[in-house]
Amino acid sequence: MKVVIQRVSQSSVTIDSKIVAEIQKGLLILVGIEDSDGQEDIDWLVGKITKIRVFDDENHVMNLSVEDIDGDIIVVSQFTLHASTKKGNRPSYIKAAKPDIAIPLYEKFVKSIEFVLAKKVQTGVFGADMKVSLLNDGPVTILIDSKNRE
């Protein structure tokens, strides 16, 4: 699994001109799932995401996690994170998991974050044409690949 974590002052997801998710201070997480991903990837990433210290403390040092600040989270599925651009100019998405594999893992990922934070996580709609808006705070943007955990 690959995730892009963005520290935001606000973020929302709109589908067909209707806002389906909206948060203030917290994290926007774009998640890409591949066929080889499983529960170990979810568990490791959720631990990282909920504990990663990207929010400022009273000394303006990034020393607090989303959990520490009681921040909100939006999770959006994004298969394009697994784009291969090695050949030609048209990205290949061969590594991205098909919906029958990706949807259950995506749902487990969201539920796992909710369990750890003991709060509702906002989401986009898997496979939908979404308009994602954000006010990146910092900017702070971090890419994490669960296959690079060692």
Side-chain angles (χ1 to χ4, degrees):
M1 293 178 96
K2 290 183 181 179
V3 295
V4 173
I5 299 169
Q6 297 182 80
R7 184 178 79 181
V8 297
S9 299
Q10 61 187 43
S11 182
S12 65
V13 177
T14 303
I15 301 172
D16 295 329
S17 301
K18 181 181 179 225
I19 295 175
V20 298
E22 188 172 28
I23 65 168
Q24 295 304 309
K25 187 173 184 176
L27 299 174
L28 168 64
I29 301 170
L30 307 175
V31 58
I33 299 167
E34 63 183 36
D35 289 336
S36 63
D37 291 332
Q39 191 63 49
E40 286 184 9
D41 298 284
I42 291 170
D43 294 343
W44 185 81
L45 279 172
V46 169
K48 279 288 187 191
I49 290 165
T50 58
K51 303 288 187 222
I52 196 163
R53 298 183 301 174
V54 295
F55 294 93
D56 291 349
D57 63 15
E58 64 278 356
N59 297 315
H60 304 289
V61 175
M62 286 195 290
N63 209 19
L64 301 174
S65 70
V66 70
E67 188 174 32
D68 294 332
I69 67 156
D70 194 29
D72 292 318
I73 293 179
I74 291 181
V75 176
V76 175
S77 63
Q78 180 132 18
F79 74 92
T80 60
L81 291 178
H82 288 289
S84 173
T85 57
K86 288 182 182 178
K87 296 185 341 187
N89 293 318
R90 183 176 181 178
S92 169
Y93 304 105
I94 194 89
K95 290 181 82 176
K98 303 292 184 266
D100 61 321
I101 293 172
I103 291 172
L105 290 173
Y106 172 77
E107 291 171 350
K108 286 180 183 179
F109 178 71
V110 171
K111 292 291 182 202
S112 294
I113 296 171
E114 288 178 335
F115 179 78
V116 170
L117 294 180
K119 69 187 306 183
K120 179 78 174 141
V121 170
Q122 301 286 313
T123 65
V125 176
F126 191 96
D129 180 19
M130 296 175 271
K131 308 301 180 212
V132 180
S133 72
L134 69 139
L135 184 56
N136 193 318
D137 182 16
V140 175
T141 302
I142 297 172
L143 172 65
I144 303 176
D145 187 338
S146 66
K147 302 303 187 232
N148 294 333
R149 60 180 173 246
E150 294 181 18

